Amino acid sequence: MDKFSYYDILGVIAPGTVFLAGLLLLFGDLKSARLLEGVSVGGLGIFALLAYAGGQMVQAVGNALENAYWWFWDGMPSDWVRTGRHEHLSLSDPQVEQLTEVCTSKLRLSIDSSLQDLSSDEWDGITSQIYAAVEAEDRDQRISAFNSNYGFHRGLTVAVLLLAVTAFINGWVWIGLAAVGAASITLYRMHRFARHYARELFVQALQLSDTPK
């Protein structure tokens, strides 16, 4: 890997850094938590790799959290146009009808019924194609930013929750409660960025040119 992507930095390395730094604060001393003082370039590289590995494990737990969390919301926001909750994305009924037209005329998909009649797996495949079409027209900058911030807050939520569990196990109740409070804030931000991502994806899809690339 020559360089880390924006998502790698924001969605993987940052949560991994928070988790590792939190463990140092809980089980180390203040000197060990001062991570950048006197660290060489090679040392920073090793820490970045450790943070990346830790972030991958944090995001693995985040996938489970994601499935459980969005189950209570009738699916992720990108699924809400299919489940009739598109008003929560600030999308109107005419926009959803136009989105159906985009799928049939611009993406050349055969949709014989309304989007609400599609299964979750069918809609997942369609949204992937919508994103690919939007990306091909270079309309995905804001979408990618929202997705990276969503991944960042998802990973951050899991990292802080894991630290909260660690604190409770060791009897540090106030630290655990503070971590739970912080996790509730990052979970709220995760929810908002998921909504922003879905709305931006569909709004940009409505602007696609007539001839798909």
Side-chain angles (χ1 to χ4, degrees):
M1 182 182 294
D2 294 333
K3 61 181 179 178
F4 290 115
S5 68
Y6 182 66
Y7 181 84
D8 286 330
I9 296 172
L10 202 59
V12 180
I13 295 178
T17 300
V18 170
F19 182 61
L20 292 179
L23 290 179
L24 284 175
L25 286 170
L26 289 176
F27 296 106
D29 52 32
L30 292 179
K31 290 183 178 180
S32 64
R34 292 158 65 180
L35 302 175
L36 298 180
E37 185 175 332
V39 177
S40 64
V41 175
L44 284 176
I46 293 174
F47 182 82
L49 289 175
L50 289 174
Y52 184 77
Q56 290 289 357
M57 291 185 284
V58 166
Q59 289 291 14
V61 179
N63 292 333
L65 170 70
E66 179 180 75
N67 293 333
Y69 179 79
W70 292 115
W71 182 84
F72 291 99
W73 293 90
D74 199 20
M76 297 185 70
S78 57
D79 204 40
W80 289 353
V81 296
R82 183 187 68 86
T83 58
R85 294 173 56 89
H86 53 273
E87 69 276 3
H88 296 290
L89 299 176
S90 300
L91 295 177
S92 64
D93 290 337
Q95 284 177 303
V96 174
E97 293 176 4
Q98 186 180 356
L99 184 61
T100 305
E101 183 180 342
V102 166
C103 292
T104 55
S105 63
K106 297 182 180 181
L107 300 184
R108 300 172 183 173
L109 297 173
S110 177
I111 300 179
D112 299 326
S113 55
S114 66
L115 298 182
Q116 286 74 21
D117 294 329
L118 296 173
S119 68
S120 177
D121 289 340
E122 289 174 329
W123 182 240
D124 282 345
I126 292 175
T127 54
S128 295
Q129 186 169 347
I130 291 174
Y131 180 85
V134 169
E135 184 182 33
E137 294 194 3
D138 294 324
R139 295 178 176 273
D140 64 318
Q141 291 83 3
R142 281 169 56 84
I143 300 171
S144 297
F146 289 143
N147 186 48
S148 296
N149 276 282
Y150 170 79
F152 169 67
H153 285 91
R154 182 185 65 182
L156 200 58
T157 299
V158 173
V160 177
L161 284 177
L162 290 175
L163 293 174
V165 171
T166 303
F168 284 130
I169 290 175
N170 287 275
W172 304 320
V173 177
W174 289 110
I175 295 177
L177 291 175
V180 170
S184 66
I185 295 173
T186 57
L187 184 65
Y188 167 75
R189 296 287 291 169
M190 182 193 86
H191 186 103
R192 282 182 60 85
F193 278 113
R195 289 178 59 246
H196 290 330
Y197 168 85
R199 181 171 63 243
E200 187 68 18
L201 175 65
F202 298 133
V203 167
Q204 291 299 334
L206 296 178
Q207 312 305 316
L208 287 173
S209 60
D210 292 332
T211 304
K213 293 184 179 181

